[in-house]
Amino acid sequence: MTGKLDGELASRVKDLQRLAHVAEDAARTTRGASGTTDSAAASSARAELEAAGHLQITVLVRVDGDLEAAERAGLWTEFRTDRIAVGTIAVADLESVAAVPNVVAIQSDRRLKPLAAPPHEGSGETVASEAVDRGQGVGARSVPPLPSGFTGAGVVVGIIDTGVDIYHPAFIYPGTNPPRTRIVSLYDESLRQTIECTGNPTGSVVLWWRAPKQADEHTGSLAFPLQAATVQTALEGFNSIDPGDVAVTGGPLPAKPIEIDFTGIYDGSIIDPYLLPMIRPVPTFTGGTHPGIVVRRGRFITQDEINAALAASPRKPFVSRDLDGHGTHVAGIAAGEGKVSKSCCKKDQPIGVAPGADLVIIKAAAGAQILKGATHVFQQPWLASGTKPAVVNLSQGQLGYAGDGTRDVDIGLDDLLFGSTKRAVVAAAGNEGARVIPASEGGPDLVPTNQPGGGQHTRGHLTAGGGPVPIRFIIDFADTRTNFFHLWYEGPGRLSVNLTAPPNAPGAPDATTGPSLPTVVNPEGTEDPPFHDVVLGGTGGHPVSHRYALAESPSGKRHFTLRLNRVPDAWVSMGTWTFSLKETAGSAVTFDAWFTEDPGDPPGRFDPAQQDQSRTICSPGTARQVITVGSFNTDDNHLHPTSSRGPTTDLRFKPELCAPGVLIVSAKSGGTTPNNLYTTHSGTSMAAPYVAGVVALMFQMNPHLDHGTIAAQLMAKCDPPVPPVPLGQLDSGWGAGRVNPEKAVAAVKPPPPAAITAATTDEEPIVLPAAAYPAARVPFTHRVRAVQDRLVVTPAGQLLATLVARHQDEVQRLVTGERRVTVAWHRMHGPLLVRLLLYSELREDILVPCVLGGKPLAEGLDRLLDELDQAGSPALRAGIAEHRAFVLALPGARLSELDVPVSGVS
């Protein structure tokens, strides 16, 4: 039943079958020579077959109904949503699980890539930092007056990414001694391997492992019950493991799990923990009830463990690290503390959109891990009772599936959100929207590095009986890994496929003609089409594998998959390859094709003339319930060229909206000095956490929002694209437009009780964290100029601008240096007032609100003027005496309606 398996799993089954043939051939050779199968070669082949068969693969299984039959067939379930089960299956059991009638499809847990764009000129510069101006959190009141500033307090922001630098001040409560972390839970999927048993087995187990770039090693037979000390001693007997390189706890197995932590040279400082293979148990069961054994990966780290590391002196490298830096940067944008005081282009840049939120960090790199992390964020097991509203940010993704939301991780996220309240998921759209000239076009020896995304999608149409139509793609220099090509279409039409390699490929018939497939490939009508290994040009030619499903589960679409393998002891042949497509069933066909991305290798890219920028949204951004975010540049409000574009292939509107994503300043992993704490990155990876932070502010305003309301209000309150696009254009890349946090948060404010509504005439403005305002992403001088432009259009505004210009320096000095003035300034919530003046765009003509912090602003201004009059210079005192009435009339008044004589100013 390999038709239910995706390409990677079907390949593993095929490889296992190949090993079985090798083992049988070795046994047959031995029998012919000696009449027995007991020889070194035969034993080695059997051992390799057994170890490969017991290798456990993390999978996502789409299932209709219960899991009992699938689990009897070999599925080890870790958790499930309504339609998706996440767990492990031994390679030898993949076909058995696929044969279960209510199993719809089984997909491998593919690694995702961070969706940050390649660095821009100057983006690697670091900047200095200072403390943030924090607003006050929400109290118990749920009716006006509003709190003095929204911070995301009472909300959980979950970041599923490459990890976090726990020592960065953006994630530590300011002023705490000893320091206390804002991270309430951290889960690291790269750490700890846990061996568990079911069915209370008896017998023994052999543990296999292979260190990076080393040969397989295995223990002897370890009998149950198995103690941790026995496993420790056995693993330290490996050539690749010295004492101190592994710590084994727990047990005895099978009664209790055994936990294996790699330490020493494997602690993450030298080797990425993700590169450490899983332990492979090969059991010999002699008893038990449906016995089984599995190895799970991942470690939960508590807030207390993080606080202990923060308090230690000297501080040691923490067990969970962000080696990439992407997750630290993303977390800082969504909910970091702090602001930047210097930068090459962004002065006084604030960091986190929701700096008062609780942070949950999930270090994960694949689809099943994303589902596990999102479930952890939403269920919040660290709380004694109840749950807080939570938003999960996903700034990792992958291009190349059907593009219609039927990938298992998409379905699982939809299951977690459908019909729920207090939950939201925000995902980056991807950076695949640009047209890209492949690196090989620039010269034969150009190794492609830091290329922008794009060029990995094409789209075409064949009339009934039309073709052949050539589809050209380019393989870059130094492409060392298998390239996956996916062709998808639906309807009654059928496409035949041929493939021709470039003339430099092995097996080419001459110097100008490349080798081709030996026969044209057509969809196979069988339920479970296999992968076919083919050598272009015959013996010694270029190896490829292909599979062509007439109806791929679960989408039901026709799906051609090509594995473009590397030449033995060489690379994938660089140059221009050509598919030839022809319609053979007498019905027109529209198709989409993608190259699947490999985070560590340059992907195949289509000929620039055939690249299609639409339908480039990365999964899980293609999920139905997820809020997908594109990227725009706040310097000119234009869409970033690489931002992925919709629609989905089933014609859904994606992305939903766009957010700032160009040269965004945020926390830098590993920064150790004040001048090395922040850095800039670009991409939809940076835009998504901006919106996740805005969602946290919306949840603070109304904790019981459902996903549909959040998405609808975010889209309804967007500012229009620049330049404008036709309403409903699905492939613009803009979605509904540019996010407007003020309008979105205001739109979800719960209605107050009738009595309060009747008594309330002066509504207090909503004040967001500085980083939530798009205007905070533009240079400071531009923001000041925008305020001045607002003022000078009325006589009252001109007078106010003149007063500010004349007295600003002295007032600022007194506010920061004279205690009584400082107290009066903060009691009237002066910092929030300045934030509104600089950033808010909601009330153009009402410059100063009537109420702020629950108190009449005029009263606070009156006290401030009294203190300034006592401490100020004669010129300032004279100005206050002449214009006090004017200043006190500002709160709640429209500048255009104030009766101001345009005469001399003191």
Side-chain angles (χ1 to χ4, degrees), residues 122-143:
S123 67
E125 296 184 16
T126 55
V127 290
S129 64
E130 62 183 31
V132 73
D133 170 23
R134 284 172 56 94
Q136 300 299 313
V138 164
R141 295 176 296 178
S142 60
V143 296

Short mmCIF file of all heavy atoms in Angstrom, two decimals, residues 122-143:
data_model
loop_
_atom_site.label_atom_id
_atom_site.label_comp_id
_atom_site.label_asym_id
_atom_site.label_seq_id
_atom_site.Cartn_x
_atom_site.Cartn_y
_atom_site.Cartn_z
N GLY A 122 24.34 45.76 4.56
CA GLY A 122 24.41 46.41 5.87
C GLY A 122 23.57 45.77 6.93
O GLY A 122 23.55 46.22 8.07
N SER A 123 22.85 44.71 6.62
CA SER A 123 21.93 44.16 7.61
C SER A 123 22.62 43.40 8.72
O SER A 123 22.02 43.08 9.72
CB SER A 123 20.93 43.23 6.92
OG SER A 123 21.58 42.08 6.42
N GLY A 124 23.91 43.10 8.57
CA GLY A 124 24.60 42.39 9.62
C GLY A 124 25.12 43.29 10.72
O GLY A 124 25.67 42.81 11.71
N GLU A 125 24.94 44.62 10.59
CA GLU A 125 25.44 45.51 11.62
C GLU A 125 24.66 45.33 12.91
O GLU A 125 23.46 45.09 12.90
CB GLU A 125 25.33 46.97 11.16
CG GLU A 125 26.20 47.28 9.95
CD GLU A 125 26.14 48.74 9.57
OE1 GLU A 125 25.68 49.54 10.40
OE2 GLU A 125 26.54 49.07 8.46
N THR A 126 25.33 45.44 14.02
CA THR A 126 24.68 45.36 15.31
C THR A 126 24.50 46.75 15.88
O THR A 126 25.13 47.71 15.46
CB THR A 126 25.50 44.50 16.29
OG1 THR A 126 26.81 45.05 16.36
CG2 THR A 126 25.57 43.08 15.81
N VAL A 127 23.60 46.84 16.87
CA VAL A 127 23.25 48.15 17.41
C VAL A 127 23.20 48.09 18.92
O VAL A 127 23.07 47.02 19.51
CB VAL A 127 21.89 48.61 16.85
CG1 VAL A 127 21.99 48.95 15.40
CG2 VAL A 127 20.83 47.53 17.05
N ALA A 128 23.30 49.24 19.57
CA ALA A 128 23.29 49.29 21.02
C ALA A 128 21.87 49.24 21.55
O ALA A 128 20.91 49.30 20.81
CB ALA A 128 23.99 50.55 21.49
N SER A 129 21.74 49.13 22.87
CA SER A 129 20.41 48.97 23.46
C SER A 129 20.28 49.77 24.72
O SER A 129 21.24 50.21 25.32
CB SER A 129 20.15 47.49 23.78
OG SER A 129 21.06 47.07 24.77
N GLU A 130 19.04 49.97 25.14
CA GLU A 130 18.76 50.56 26.43
C GLU A 130 17.45 50.00 26.93
O GLU A 130 16.79 49.23 26.24
CB GLU A 130 18.70 52.09 26.35
CG GLU A 130 17.60 52.59 25.44
CD GLU A 130 17.61 54.11 25.32
OE1 GLU A 130 18.69 54.70 25.40
OE2 GLU A 130 16.53 54.67 25.16
N ALA A 131 17.03 50.37 28.12
CA ALA A 131 15.81 49.81 28.69
C ALA A 131 14.60 50.32 27.93
O ALA A 131 14.59 51.39 27.35
CB ALA A 131 15.69 50.19 30.16
N VAL A 132 13.52 49.53 27.96
CA VAL A 132 12.31 49.89 27.25
C VAL A 132 11.41 50.73 28.15
O VAL A 132 11.45 50.62 29.37
CB VAL A 132 11.55 48.63 26.79
CG1 VAL A 132 10.89 47.94 27.96
CG2 VAL A 132 10.50 48.98 25.74
N ASP A 133 10.59 51.56 27.53
CA ASP A 133 9.56 52.29 28.25
C ASP A 133 8.34 51.40 28.31
O ASP A 133 7.57 51.32 27.37
CB ASP A 133 9.26 53.60 27.50
CG ASP A 133 8.04 54.31 28.04
OD1 ASP A 133 7.69 54.06 29.21
OD2 ASP A 133 7.44 55.11 27.29
N ARG A 134 8.16 50.72 29.42
CA ARG A 134 7.06 49.74 29.54
C ARG A 134 5.76 50.44 29.89
O ARG A 134 5.69 51.31 30.74
CB ARG A 134 7.37 48.73 30.65
CG ARG A 134 8.40 47.69 30.26
CD ARG A 134 8.79 46.86 31.46
NE ARG A 134 7.65 46.24 32.09
CZ ARG A 134 7.23 45.01 31.83
NH1 ARG A 134 7.86 44.29 30.95
NH2 ARG A 134 6.19 44.50 32.44
N GLY A 135 4.68 49.99 29.23
CA GLY A 135 3.36 50.41 29.65
C GLY A 135 2.88 49.54 30.78
O GLY A 135 3.48 48.53 31.12
N GLN A 136 1.80 49.90 31.41
CA GLN A 136 1.26 49.12 32.52
C GLN A 136 0.35 48.03 31.99
O GLN A 136 -0.38 48.22 31.04
CB GLN A 136 0.49 50.04 33.47
CG GLN A 136 1.35 51.15 34.06
CD GLN A 136 2.50 50.58 34.87
OE1 GLN A 136 2.31 49.70 35.69
NE2 GLN A 136 3.70 51.09 34.62
N GLY A 137 0.38 46.88 32.64
CA GLY A 137 -0.44 45.76 32.20
C GLY A 137 -1.90 45.95 32.55
O GLY A 137 -2.29 46.80 33.35
N VAL A 138 -2.75 45.12 31.98
CA VAL A 138 -4.17 45.18 32.24
C VAL A 138 -4.47 44.67 33.63
O VAL A 138 -3.94 43.67 34.06
CB VAL A 138 -4.93 44.34 31.19
CG1 VAL A 138 -6.34 44.06 31.65
CG2 VAL A 138 -4.98 45.08 29.88
N GLY A 139 -5.33 45.35 34.35
CA GLY A 139 -5.76 44.87 35.65
C GLY A 139 -6.99 44.01 35.50
O GLY A 139 -7.28 43.46 34.45
N ALA A 140 -7.77 43.91 36.57
CA ALA A 140 -8.92 43.03 36.57
C ALA A 140 -10.11 43.63 35.84
O ALA A 140 -11.05 42.94 35.51
CB ALA A 140 -9.31 42.68 38.00
N ARG A 141 -10.09 44.95 35.60
CA ARG A 141 -11.25 45.59 34.99
C ARG A 141 -11.37 45.21 33.53
O ARG A 141 -10.40 45.12 32.82
CB ARG A 141 -11.12 47.11 35.10
CG ARG A 141 -11.17 47.61 36.54
CD ARG A 141 -10.93 49.10 36.59
NE ARG A 141 -9.60 49.44 36.12
CZ ARG A 141 -9.15 50.68 36.04
NH1 ARG A 141 -9.91 51.68 36.40
NH2 ARG A 141 -7.92 50.92 35.59
N SER A 142 -12.61 44.99 33.10
CA SER A 142 -12.84 44.67 31.70
C SER A 142 -13.70 45.72 31.02
O SER A 142 -14.19 45.52 29.93
CB SER A 142 -13.54 43.31 31.59
OG SER A 142 -14.77 43.33 32.27
N VAL A 143 -13.91 46.87 31.71
CA VAL A 143 -14.72 47.94 31.15
C VAL A 143 -13.92 49.23 31.26
O VAL A 143 -12.96 49.31 32.00
CB VAL A 143 -16.06 48.08 31.91
CG1 VAL A 143 -16.90 46.84 31.73
CG2 VAL A 143 -15.82 48.33 33.40
#
